[in-house]
Amino acid sequence: MSNFKRFSSRAVGIFSFLASTSLVFANPAQAVSIDLGSWTRVGDVDVNGNQVNLSTASSTFQDDFPQPAGRFNYSGNNPVAAGGAIETSVGLNPGALDNDLFNAVFEGSAITTNLNARKGDRLRFDWNFLTNDTFDDYAFFVANGVITKLADISNANNPSSLFNLETGTRTFNYTFANAGNYQVGIGVVDIGDVNSTSALQISNAQTEPVPEPLTILGTGVAAGFGVILRRKRSKKQTIS
Protein backbone atom coordinates (compact mmCIF):
# COMPACT_ATOMS: atom_id res chain seq x y z
CA MET A 1 0.00 0.00 0.00
CA SER A 2 2.83 2.37 0.85
CA ASN A 3 4.30 1.94 -2.65
CA PHE A 4 0.96 2.80 -4.21
CA LYS A 5 0.62 5.89 -1.99
CA ARG A 6 4.12 7.02 -2.92
CA PHE A 7 3.30 6.54 -6.61
CA SER A 8 0.02 8.42 -6.20
CA SER A 9 1.75 11.32 -4.52
CA ARG A 10 4.34 11.51 -7.26
CA ALA A 11 1.69 11.27 -9.96
CA VAL A 12 -0.33 14.07 -8.40
CA GLY A 13 2.79 16.19 -8.16
CA ILE A 14 3.72 15.62 -11.78
CA PHE A 15 0.17 16.26 -12.92
CA SER A 16 0.01 19.51 -10.94
CA PHE A 17 3.23 20.69 -12.59
CA LEU A 18 2.07 19.80 -16.10
CA ALA A 19 -1.34 21.31 -15.56
CA SER A 20 0.18 24.56 -14.29
CA THR A 21 2.46 24.90 -17.30
CA SER A 22 1.02 25.77 -20.72
CA LEU A 23 2.35 23.24 -23.15
CA VAL A 24 1.57 24.88 -26.47
CA PHE A 25 2.26 23.65 -29.96
CA ALA A 26 1.80 25.61 -33.19
CA ASN A 27 -0.93 24.51 -35.51
CA PRO A 28 0.55 25.14 -39.00
CA ALA A 29 -1.24 28.08 -40.65
CA GLN A 30 -2.34 27.95 -44.26
CA ALA A 31 -1.20 30.80 -46.48
CA VAL A 32 -3.97 32.65 -48.34
CA SER A 33 -3.37 34.07 -51.82
CA ILE A 34 -4.09 37.77 -52.37
CA ASP A 35 -5.68 39.16 -55.51
CA LEU A 36 -3.51 42.22 -56.12
CA GLY A 37 -5.77 43.14 -59.02
CA SER A 38 -8.49 44.04 -56.51
CA TRP A 39 -6.30 46.68 -54.81
CA THR A 40 -6.85 50.36 -55.55
CA ARG A 41 -4.62 51.44 -58.44
CA VAL A 42 -2.91 54.81 -58.50
CA GLY A 43 -1.07 55.96 -61.62
CA ASP A 44 0.39 53.70 -64.29
CA VAL A 45 -0.62 50.20 -63.14
CA ASP A 46 -1.35 47.10 -65.19
CA VAL A 47 -2.56 43.68 -64.03
CA ASN A 48 -1.30 40.69 -66.00
CA GLY A 49 -2.62 37.46 -64.45
CA ASN A 50 -1.28 37.19 -60.89
CA GLN A 51 1.35 39.85 -61.62
CA VAL A 52 0.94 43.59 -61.19
CA ASN A 53 3.22 46.00 -63.05
CA LEU A 54 3.79 49.58 -61.91
CA SER A 55 5.72 52.20 -63.84
CA THR A 56 6.99 55.76 -63.60
CA ALA A 57 6.55 56.21 -67.37
CA SER A 58 4.40 59.18 -68.29
CA SER A 59 2.89 59.58 -71.73
CA THR A 60 5.38 62.35 -72.46
CA PHE A 61 8.46 60.29 -71.63
CA GLN A 62 7.92 56.76 -72.93
CA ASP A 63 10.60 56.56 -75.62
CA ASP A 64 12.87 54.51 -73.36
CA PHE A 65 10.09 52.30 -72.05
CA PRO A 66 9.87 48.92 -73.84
CA GLN A 67 6.52 47.25 -74.42
CA PRO A 68 7.17 43.57 -75.23
CA ALA A 69 4.02 41.54 -75.69
CA GLY A 70 2.47 40.29 -72.48
CA ARG A 71 5.19 41.54 -70.14
CA PHE A 72 4.57 45.24 -69.57
CA ASN A 73 1.37 46.13 -71.36
CA TYR A 74 0.19 49.23 -69.55
CA SER A 75 -3.26 50.70 -69.87
CA GLY A 76 -1.98 54.18 -70.71
CA ASN A 77 -2.65 55.78 -67.33
CA ASN A 78 -0.02 58.30 -66.35
CA PRO A 79 1.86 58.14 -63.06
CA VAL A 80 0.48 60.57 -60.50
CA ALA A 81 2.42 63.63 -59.38
CA ALA A 82 4.32 63.63 -56.13
CA GLY A 83 4.03 66.32 -53.51
CA GLY A 84 0.58 65.11 -52.53
CA ALA A 85 -1.15 62.67 -54.88
CA ILE A 86 1.11 59.62 -54.68
CA GLU A 87 1.78 60.07 -50.96
CA THR A 88 -1.86 60.57 -50.01
CA SER A 89 -2.90 57.48 -51.94
CA VAL A 90 -0.84 55.23 -49.63
CA GLY A 91 -1.58 57.09 -46.39
CA LEU A 92 1.48 59.36 -46.26
CA ASN A 93 1.96 63.09 -45.87
CA PRO A 94 3.07 65.11 -48.91
CA GLY A 95 6.84 64.90 -49.33
CA ALA A 96 7.16 61.75 -47.21
CA LEU A 97 8.62 59.80 -50.12
CA ASP A 98 11.35 62.37 -50.90
CA ASN A 99 14.90 61.22 -50.21
CA ASP A 100 15.83 64.77 -49.21
CA LEU A 101 15.37 68.37 -50.35
CA PHE A 102 17.54 67.86 -53.44
CA ASN A 103 16.24 64.38 -54.28
CA ALA A 104 12.49 64.88 -54.40
CA VAL A 105 9.96 62.50 -55.87
CA PHE A 106 8.51 63.83 -59.12
CA GLU A 107 5.93 61.14 -59.86
CA GLY A 108 5.03 57.55 -59.14
CA SER A 109 2.51 54.73 -59.19
CA ALA A 110 1.18 52.48 -56.45
CA ILE A 111 -1.44 49.97 -55.37
CA THR A 112 -3.05 50.12 -51.96
CA THR A 113 -5.61 48.36 -49.76
CA ASN A 114 -6.67 47.85 -46.16
CA LEU A 115 -5.95 44.57 -44.37
CA ASN A 116 -7.24 43.33 -41.04
CA ALA A 117 -4.41 41.53 -39.27
CA ARG A 118 -3.71 39.79 -36.02
CA LYS A 119 -0.46 40.18 -34.17
CA GLY A 120 2.09 37.96 -35.88
CA ASP A 121 0.30 37.64 -39.23
CA ARG A 122 2.61 37.91 -42.23
CA LEU A 123 2.28 39.48 -45.66
CA ARG A 124 4.55 38.12 -48.39
CA PHE A 125 5.06 38.90 -52.06
CA ASP A 126 7.67 38.57 -54.81
CA TRP A 127 8.99 41.71 -56.49
CA ASN A 128 11.41 42.85 -59.16
CA PHE A 129 12.63 46.45 -59.53
CA LEU A 130 13.69 47.50 -63.03
CA THR A 131 15.19 50.79 -64.18
CA ASN A 132 16.63 52.84 -67.03
CA ASP A 133 17.37 55.77 -64.75
CA THR A 134 20.58 57.18 -63.26
CA PHE A 135 18.80 59.10 -60.54
CA ASP A 136 17.84 57.36 -57.32
CA ASP A 137 14.41 56.01 -58.30
CA TYR A 138 13.15 53.39 -55.88
CA ALA A 139 10.39 50.93 -55.01
CA PHE A 140 8.73 50.89 -51.60
CA PHE A 141 6.29 49.19 -49.25
CA VAL A 142 4.29 51.14 -46.67
CA ALA A 143 2.10 49.98 -43.77
CA ASN A 144 0.21 52.52 -41.67
CA GLY A 145 2.62 55.31 -42.55
CA VAL A 146 5.86 53.38 -42.05
CA ILE A 147 7.93 53.20 -45.25
CA THR A 148 10.22 50.30 -46.15
CA LYS A 149 12.41 50.75 -49.22
CA LEU A 150 12.44 47.58 -51.31
CA ALA A 151 15.21 48.68 -53.68
CA ASP A 152 16.70 51.65 -55.54
CA ILE A 153 18.90 51.87 -58.62
CA SER A 154 21.99 50.90 -56.61
CA ASN A 155 20.42 47.46 -56.06
CA ALA A 156 19.64 46.92 -59.75
CA ASN A 157 22.79 45.08 -60.84
CA ASN A 158 21.41 42.47 -63.23
CA PRO A 159 21.00 42.95 -67.00
CA SER A 160 17.34 43.02 -68.02
CA SER A 161 15.54 42.17 -71.24
CA LEU A 162 12.98 44.87 -70.43
CA PHE A 163 15.11 47.66 -68.98
CA ASN A 164 18.79 48.43 -68.68
CA LEU A 165 19.03 46.83 -65.23
CA GLU A 166 16.92 44.99 -62.66
CA THR A 167 17.29 43.54 -59.18
CA GLY A 168 15.90 40.18 -60.19
CA THR A 169 12.98 38.60 -58.36
CA ARG A 170 13.15 38.77 -54.58
CA THR A 171 10.71 38.02 -51.76
CA PHE A 172 9.49 40.56 -49.22
CA ASN A 173 8.05 39.52 -45.85
CA TYR A 174 6.23 41.83 -43.46
CA THR A 175 5.06 40.77 -39.99
CA PHE A 176 2.24 42.76 -38.41
CA ALA A 177 3.47 43.79 -34.97
CA ASN A 178 -0.01 44.38 -33.55
CA ALA A 179 -3.58 43.42 -34.31
CA GLY A 180 -5.67 45.93 -36.19
CA ASN A 181 -6.55 47.45 -39.54
CA TYR A 182 -3.59 48.39 -41.72
CA GLN A 183 -3.47 50.54 -44.83
CA VAL A 184 -0.74 49.00 -46.94
CA GLY A 185 0.71 50.16 -50.23
CA ILE A 186 3.36 49.10 -52.73
CA GLY A 187 4.79 51.54 -55.25
CA VAL A 188 7.60 52.90 -57.37
CA VAL A 189 8.69 56.55 -57.64
CA ASP A 190 10.77 58.71 -59.94
CA ILE A 191 13.45 60.79 -58.22
CA GLY A 192 14.95 63.97 -59.63
CA ASP A 193 13.43 63.95 -63.13
CA VAL A 194 10.87 62.33 -65.39
CA ASN A 195 13.16 61.60 -68.33
CA SER A 196 13.79 57.92 -67.68
CA THR A 197 11.63 55.09 -66.48
CA SER A 198 11.67 52.70 -63.55
CA ALA A 199 9.16 49.95 -62.87
CA LEU A 200 8.13 47.36 -60.32
CA GLN A 201 6.74 43.87 -60.87
CA ILE A 202 4.77 42.30 -57.99
CA SER A 203 3.50 38.72 -57.90
CA ASN A 204 2.61 35.76 -55.66
CA ALA A 205 1.18 37.89 -52.87
CA GLN A 206 -0.23 36.03 -49.87
CA THR A 207 -0.99 36.36 -46.20
CA GLU A 208 0.06 33.80 -43.64
CA PRO A 209 -2.00 33.91 -40.42
CA VAL A 210 -0.21 33.55 -37.11
CA PRO A 211 -0.29 29.85 -36.10
CA GLU A 212 -3.20 28.87 -33.87
CA PRO A 213 -2.00 27.53 -30.51
CA LEU A 214 -2.86 23.94 -29.64
CA THR A 215 -2.68 23.56 -25.87
CA ILE A 216 -2.30 20.27 -24.02
CA LEU A 217 -5.07 20.81 -21.51
CA GLY A 218 -5.11 19.48 -18.00
CA THR A 219 -7.96 17.15 -18.93
CA GLY A 220 -5.72 15.30 -21.36
CA VAL A 221 -2.93 14.99 -18.82
CA ALA A 222 -5.42 13.91 -16.19
CA ALA A 223 -6.82 11.24 -18.48
CA GLY A 224 -3.36 9.78 -18.98
CA PHE A 225 -2.61 9.65 -15.30
CA GLY A 226 -6.07 8.27 -14.61
CA VAL A 227 -5.32 5.26 -16.80
CA ILE A 228 -2.02 4.68 -14.99
CA LEU A 229 -3.65 4.95 -11.58
CA ARG A 230 -6.43 2.53 -12.52
CA ARG A 231 -3.90 -0.01 -13.76
CA LYS A 232 -1.90 0.33 -10.56
CA ARG A 233 -5.02 -0.08 -8.48
CA SER A 234 -6.15 -3.12 -10.49
CA LYS A 235 -2.72 -4.72 -10.18
CA LYS A 236 -2.71 -4.12 -6.41
CA GLN A 237 -6.12 -5.75 -6.03
CA THR A 238 -5.05 -8.75 -8.11
CA ILE A 239 -1.96 -9.28 -5.92
CA SER A 240 -4.10 -9.00 -2.79
Side-chain angles (χ1 to χ4, degrees), residues 6-57:
R6 283 197 299 271
F7 173 79
S8 300
S9 298
R10 290 173 184 171
V12 170
I14 294 172
F15 166 72
S16 298
F17 169 76
L18 291 174
S20 65
T21 59
S22 296
L23 300 182
V24 179
F25 294 88
N27 182 22
Q30 297 296 318
V32 179
S33 296
I34 296 176
D35 178 14
L36 292 174
S38 66
W39 290 27
T40 300
R41 308 174 196 182
V42 181
D44 198 359
V45 180
D46 176 69
V47 178
N48 184 13
N50 71 339
Q51 178 174 294
V52 173
N53 305 317
L54 302 90
S55 167
T56 65

Side-chain angles (χ1 to χ4, degrees), residues 82-83 87 95 97-107 135-138 189-193:
E87 294 92 342
L97 291 171
D98 293 347
N99 282 341
D100 54 51
L101 181 62
F102 301 101
N103 291 281
V105 172
F106 275 55
E107 61 184 3
F135 284 92
D136 206 14
D137 297 3
Y138 70 89
V189 289
D190 206 343
I191 296 286
D193 71 350

Side-chain angles (χ1 to χ4, degrees), residues 178-231:
N178 298 291
N181 183 270
Y182 287 76
Q183 181 179 3
V184 298
I186 309 169
V188 59
V189 289
D190 206 343
I191 296 286
D193 71 350
V194 292
N195 294 315
S196 295
T197 300
S198 294
L200 179 66
Q201 297 173 319
I202 313 165
S203 60
N204 300 322
Q206 60 184 26
T207 54
E208 185 176 298
V210 63
E212 291 282 1
L214 291 178
T215 306
I216 298 179
L217 301 175
T219 52
V221 179
F225 276 98
V227 171
I228 296 173
L229 289 172
R230 283 195 298 273
R231 289 178 178 174

